[in-house]
Amino acid sequence: RQEQPSQPQPQEQQPPQPQQPQPQPQSPQPPDEPYELLPAPALLSRLLSLSADYPSFVTLTTAQERFGLPRAGTSSDCPHDAALYPSSHGDGCNVYVLIVHDKEAHPDDSDVRSGDASLEDGDAKSGWKYIPDVFLSGSVHGDERVGPTAILEAVELLVESAHCESLPRRRRGDQRDFHDDPDREDELVAARSCRRSLADRGVSPPLRRWLARLVATRRTVVVPTANALGYARNERTEDGIDPNRDFPFDVLPKNRDECMRTVAGRTVNELFRSHLFPIGLTFHGGMEVVAYEWGAPTYLNYAAPDALAQNAIAGAYSRYAAGFPGHAPYDYGTMNDKVYYVRGGMEDWAFAGSWDPDRVVECAPATFGGDYPPEKTRYNNSTLRAFNMLVETSDVKNPPGNTLGTRTRPLVAGSGDENGHVARNMRLALLAMDVVEPYVSVHEVEDLPFEDDDVIPSVNLRRHDGKSYFENARMVWVPRSRKRYRIAWTVGGAFDIDATEIVFGPWEALPENLADDGDGFYPSDQTLEQLFSSQFTVVSPTNIDARHTGRSRWHERGPFPTSQSQDILGPFYETTIDASTHPPGTPLAVFARAKVDRAWSTTPAPNVRPANLGPTSHLVNARTNPSYFASNAGKIVRGRRDNWWYSAPVTLILGSDEEGLRLAAEAAADHATVSSFDGRARAVWINSRWGGVPTAMEAVVSRRPFRTAALRLPGSSSGSIGPWIVVGMVTVALGALGWVMVRRRRGMYLDRKRVEQEMEEDDEGFSVEISEGGGGYRDDVNTSLESIHID
């Protein structure tokens, strides 16, 4: 990439006066509409709309508000700030920071608590300390225009999907009768509408759930235009200074006055000081390449520590970006090899500033009055250990509109005209969010797939309504007579899956809160002690040879093992558990767990400098080093015991065959998800948000299987009387329900038909599926449901 001075560009026109924010999200753009690169005023308008439309998932602030930084520029720069952003004061340009996070699930998040005195500083029970941070920078060089639009488009898809997936707002622990819920109909209409809108734009149900997971389980910090002045002027530099030479890494000590001179550099520095980023992307232009460390002259011709992991992730970026007519998939490699080396580069600073102190200087800039203290560039051992890769988005820094791609299937790595510079870099941002941390999720029980992911935006199992994991876990009734039950699961956020298995046992052996009572770490040490005890059984997958390892969707050879189902994005594991030793009524906790990416720490890369350090990054250490612990600004990255990553639990309730008939009937009345065989319920999801079996759920939850005197009848004992009480209450409650259902059935029949008709209209994103030979709602007690699944 040739570094030539940019010619001065005409300043952008002043935008129209701001309009009042609308209470509902804006109508989506047509699917085939091409993307357009956004000038600074339009970018700000879109940021404000996101903040107004999705307040539960978006926080918008500025570096000036948050960190007290100055503004770069003069009174003639960025007039849109004063026009659109009420708190703008003074000359120059604001640097906007957009934080994407689940504020309802994590109200104690430091980015939520900022300025909120109602939450104590020590309150961390939601687990926000362990939610991984992701950093996305759109434009450090103001004339490189693809990044800001690509990031913004990705964020819009993310928060729209999270909002949609949070509907209906009914929670799994809610035991109200569905027909007594006054908000149910409105929420079903809203849920159906947003799902259909996303499906019309190529966001299928599994992709929608994936996007929602990325919002609910990550905190993503977006700086669309770190160089706000350069972006507004369409110039590379910030008032003549290159922000990507402004970081204190590999800068000669005599030049310590030549770093942290820009507002852009200081903004990024303050964000890293106040977060803990394992991964990031910074978007540029002038080439088409994904580049990683090293990019500093001191390490010219050397590989960096964790080079194997960096190369694997960069390769995934290239594959998911794909190519389109006239543009190949991104080349990838080190910055020294593929781009050029620099002193003071952001990428190497973010990667090594905490563990290579000989390359770091304390800056003493003279700009803006020289009031940026040297200690601001003094870092602890955790702050700067990120894979912060550079993406050169396009050969032309301001590419023409016909090369940006369209809104058709934006998350599919196609090679046609629908792909383009904006479309493919949206996907890179999402991939970075995904691989920041591994995750495991149970997908189905007894051929009954869950239409909800185990993560629902706005719900945190650690805190929600004061209820326990048991009450909020997905709860499935199965007939004990079957004894053996099929479980399927998947693994994400990784590359190589070195081991994975199911662990199951009685809920009564577990603590009521599976996360740490103090800071929300999941699973807690107390929980793990039980999972490794003799009360829990470990079962390996049956669809993969023990000699082979699995692969995620990001692996260069694709996911393995796979399923014929279109409802799963990654690998598909399955096994059968034997519950014959557990008495009727026993609630069983079922977990999936996985170990991933071991080779990143055990396979040395050649020619590494500094040598003999081992893994240095948060990303590799968290997966491969059980004793790893890093902390900054309240956030923590830590290893897992024996390197196991755990899913949220699923509960199996072992019931009688007689209950199966009654459960099938009530499930039909309340649109619950059911898998059946020979006219009897084979599995019933009794606490689905879409339609559960509230009577059965209430009977189970009312006698929670924990060793707490207040929750057990006098004289009950673990593993004997208690479970029989549970099943007895279920049977009695369901029997009493029978005569009520006879009276209600005729009136509910018409209501069911109306809801069916609404949900079965031309709607790919929200439909009723009946599998295994059909079936449906019938107006008799001995109904034979097959499998009802609502997307």
Side-chain angles (χ1 to χ4, degrees):
R1 181 179 60 177
Q2 297 298 318
E3 290 189 57
Q4 298 185 4
S6 301
Q7 295 298 320
Q9 300 293 324
Q11 292 190 11
E12 301 174 40
Q13 296 181 354
Q14 184 171 345
Q17 292 299 312
Q19 298 180 356
Q20 293 297 320
Q22 298 300 313
Q24 296 297 324
Q26 295 178 347
S27 299
Q29 301 293 334
D32 293 328
E33 181 178 339
Y35 292 111
E36 296 180 358
L37 297 181
L38 299 173
L43 190 69
L44 176 55
S45 294
R46 295 273 288 274
L47 291 173
L48 291 168
S49 293
L50 281 172
S51 178
D53 293 343
Y54 302 102
S56 295
F57 303 115
V58 170
T59 298
L60 179 63
T61 186
T62 68
Q64 287 68 35
E65 292 174 309
R66 183 72 182 271
F67 306 118
L69 295 180
R71 293 174 176 80
T74 68
S75 59
S76 62
D77 294 304
C78 298
H80 53 273
D81 285 346
L84 296 175
Y85 199 78
S87 60
S88 297
H89 301 289
D91 298 340
C93 300
N94 289 331
V95 178
Y96 293 95
V97 178
L98 189 77
I99 303 167
V100 179
H101 50 164
D102 191 339
K103 294 193 274 188
E104 290 188 52
H106 303 105
D108 46 358
D109 181 341
S110 60
D111 280 332
V112 176
R113 287 186 294 132
S114 180
D116 184 355
S118 64
L119 290 167
E120 297 180 7
D121 290 340
D123 186 11
K125 295 181 179 179
S126 77
W128 75 271
K129 290 188 173 189
Y130 299 99
I131 295 293
D133 288 337
V134 178
F135 176 72
L136 299 175
S137 169
S139 180
V140 168
H141 292 145
D143 60 342
E144 297 165 3
R145 311 293 284 187
V146 170
T149 298
I151 292 176
L152 183 66
E153 295 287 353
V155 167
E156 286 189 344
L157 269 185
L158 281 164
V159 295
E160 184 180 353
S161 297
H163 169 74
C164 189
E165 197 65 17
S166 72
L167 299 173
R169 302 286 288 189
R170 180 187 183 88
R171 302 306 179 215
R172 293 178 187 141
D174 190 344
Q175 299 157 22
R176 293 173 295 166
D177 190 306
F178 274 64
H179 298 273
D180 295 334
D181 186 349
D183 298 324
R184 180 180 181 235
E185 288 294 327
D186 290 342
E187 291 185 355
L188 282 174
V189 170
R192 182 186 63 177
S193 175
C194 67
R195 283 160 168 77
R196 180 168 52 199
S197 172
L198 287 164
D200 288 345
R201 286 174 282 155
V203 182
S204 64
L207 288 171
R208 182 190 71 237
R209 292 192 287 267
W210 174 57
L211 294 173
R213 171 185 281 274
L214 298 184
V215 175
T217 62
R218 278 91 170 110
R219 181 173 69 171
T220 302
V221 179
V222 177
V223 190
T225 56
N227 182 2
L229 177 63
Y231 193 77
R233 293 178 176 177
N234 198 17
E235 295 177 355
R236 175 185 176 87
T237 65
E238 180 187 295
D239 244 359
I241 301 173
D242 190 331
N244 208 29
R245 310 294 183 271
D246 205 29
F247 293 85
F249 190 83
D250 217 20
V251 173
L252 299 177
K254 66 178 182 179
N255 296 329
R256 60 190 296 261
D257 61 340
E258 295 182 3
C259 52
M260 290 293 113
R261 294 180 295 167
T262 64
V263 175
R266 296 182 190 183
T267 295
V268 174
N269 187 57
E270 292 295 337
L271 288 171
F272 271 78
R273 287 170 52 84
S274 58
H275 295 81
L276 188 60
F277 297 112
I279 201 167
L281 284 176
T282 172
F283 292 94
H284 290 258
M287 303 174 66
E288 297 187 9
V289 66
V290 176
Y292 51 86
E293 283 68 41
W294 290 114
T298 293
Y299 297 119
L300 189 65
N301 301 320
Y302 290 111
D306 297 336
L308 188 66
Q310 295 194 75
N311 185 266
I313 294 172
Y317 287 149
S318 176
R319 291 187 295 275
Y320 197 34
F324 56 97
H327 299 267
Y330 286 131
D331 191 11
Y332 59 96
T334 70
M335 288 175 284
N336 279 338
D337 288 342
K338 300 296 182 180
V339 190
Y340 47 75
Y341 66 77
V342 300
R343 295 190 185 275
M346 182 209 299
E347 295 78 20
D348 288 348
W349 164 83
F351 172 65
S354 282
W355 56 264
D356 193 4
D358 291 343
R359 304 278 78 77
V360 179
V361 300
E362 293 186 14
C363 301
T367 55
F368 302 101
D371 61 351
Y372 200 66
E375 57 267 26
K376 294 278 192 176
T377 46
R378 190 181 304 152
Y379 307 104
N380 64 30
N381 194 43
S382 300
T383 305
L384 302 172
R385 293 175 175 266
F387 284 165
N388 190 36
M389 296 191 191
L390 177 147
V391 182
E392 295 282 359
T393 59
S394 58
D395 289 329
V396 178
K397 295 185 178 184
N398 191 357
N402 62 357
T403 65
L404 304 180
T406 70
R407 300 176 187 275
T408 304
R409 300 193 306 156
L411 303 184
V412 178
S415 58
D417 290 333
E418 75 280 358
N419 199 5
H421 297 303
V422 168
R424 65 177 177 174
N425 285 290
M426 289 171 57
R427 296 194 293 274
L428 295 201
L430 300 174
L431 195 160
M433 294 176 67
D434 188 77
V435 301
V436 67
E437 183 176 271
Y439 53 91
V440 190
S441 177
V442 177
H443 184 260
E444 60 186 69
V445 173
E446 283 291 279
D447 296 322
L448 185 154
F450 295 112
E451 74 265 23
D452 282 345
D453 200 347
D454 57 353
V455 174
I456 301 174
S458 301
V459 172
N460 187 330
L461 295 181
R462 298 164 176 82
R463 292 179 64 98
H464 181 65
D465 289 347
K467 293 183 173 64
S468 67
Y469 267 82
F470 175 72
E471 291 168 282
N472 280 304
R474 295 174 291 184
M475 191 177 294
V476 179
W477 178 95
V478 291
R480 184 180 179 275
S481 61
R482 291 185 63 85
K483 299 181 180 179
R484 296 172 62 84
Y485 310 100
R486 177 180 169 274
I487 309 293
W489 71 100
T490 189
V491 181
F495 286 77
D496 288 298
I497 301 161
D498 303 308
T500 187
E501 56 197 23
I502 292 293
V503 184
F504 74 97
W507 264 103
E508 66 178 0
L510 296 170
E512 186 167 3
N513 185 5
L514 302 184
D516 187 275
D517 287 330
D519 64 7
F521 181 73
Y522 173 84
S524 67
D525 291 340
Q526 183 183 5
T527 300
L528 288 173
E529 288 301 320
Q530 295 304 314
L531 292 180
F532 281 93
S533 74
S534 60
Q535 297 189 70
F536 279 77
T537 303
V538 177
V539 185
S540 298
T542 56
N543 64 332
I544 186 171
D545 192 296
R547 295 171 297 175
H548 296 86
T549 58
R551 303 188 301 265
S552 84
R553 62 187 289 212
W554 307 125
H555 196 281
E556 61 182 345
R557 291 187 288 156
F560 177 80
T562 57
S563 167
Q564 297 299 318
S565 171
Q566 300 297 313
D567 200 43
I568 193 165
L569 297 176
F572 183 85
Y573 295 94
E574 58 184 332
T575 195
T576 300
I577 65 172
D578 185 344
S580 60
T581 61
H582 297 279
T586 301
L588 296 179
V590 179
F591 302 82
R593 66 185 183 187
K595 297 182 181 183
V596 302
D597 299 326
R598 179 181 58 192
W600 287 359
S601 67
T602 60
T603 305
N607 201 31
V608 171
R609 293 293 186 277
N612 304 318
L613 290 181
T616 59
S617 67
H618 294 313
L619 206 81
V620 174
N621 274 295
R623 297 162 196 245
T624 64
N625 182 358
S627 62
Y628 187 70
F629 186 92
S631 176
N632 185 62
K635 295 302 291 284
I636 296 171
V637 175
R638 60 177 286 187
R640 276 15 185 210
R641 177 170 172 175
D642 295 332
N643 294 324
W644 286 113
W645 296 81
Y646 285 83
S647 72
V650 169
T651 300
L652 296 189
I653 304 295
L654 306 181
S656 69
D657 289 344
E658 290 74 16
E659 292 168 8
L661 293 173
R662 298 189 180 98
L663 278 168
E666 186 177 358
D670 277 321
H671 307 289
T673 308
V674 178
S675 173
S676 70
F677 183 75
D678 290 340
R680 296 178 184 271
R682 179 176 163 191
V684 183
W685 186 3
I686 66 175
N687 66 339
S688 167
R689 293 188 299 158
W690 299 99
V693 188
T695 306
M697 181 169 56
E698 183 176 9
V700 173
V701 172
S702 66
R703 296 297 174 192
R704 292 179 292 181
F706 299 111
R707 293 189 173 120
T708 305
L711 300 177
R712 307 183 67 84
L713 293 179
S716 64
S717 61
S718 171
S720 55
I721 299 176
W724 286 97
I725 291 173
V726 173
V727 70
M729 294 188 67
V730 173
T731 304
V732 171
L734 291 172
L737 181 70
W739 72 271
V740 176
M741 290 183 59
V742 170
R743 297 186 62 183
R744 292 177 57 190
R745 192 180 302 113
R746 181 58 55 186
M748 293 168 58
Y749 177 76
L750 296 176
D751 177 58
R752 292 199 304 270
K753 284 296 182 182
R754 177 176 57 80
V755 174
E756 283 183 62
Q757 183 175 0
E758 290 178 353
M759 297 172 65
E760 288 178 343
E761 25 181 74
D762 186 18
D763 183 357
E764 294 180 21
F766 191 89
S767 62
V768 175
E769 299 174 5
I770 303 177
S771 63
E772 294 187 1
Y777 295 120
R778 295 180 55 186
D779 196 26
D780 59 88
V781 173
N782 294 320
T783 181
S784 174
L785 296 178
E786 301 301 336
S787 178
I788 303 173
H789 177 207
I790 305 176
D791 283 336

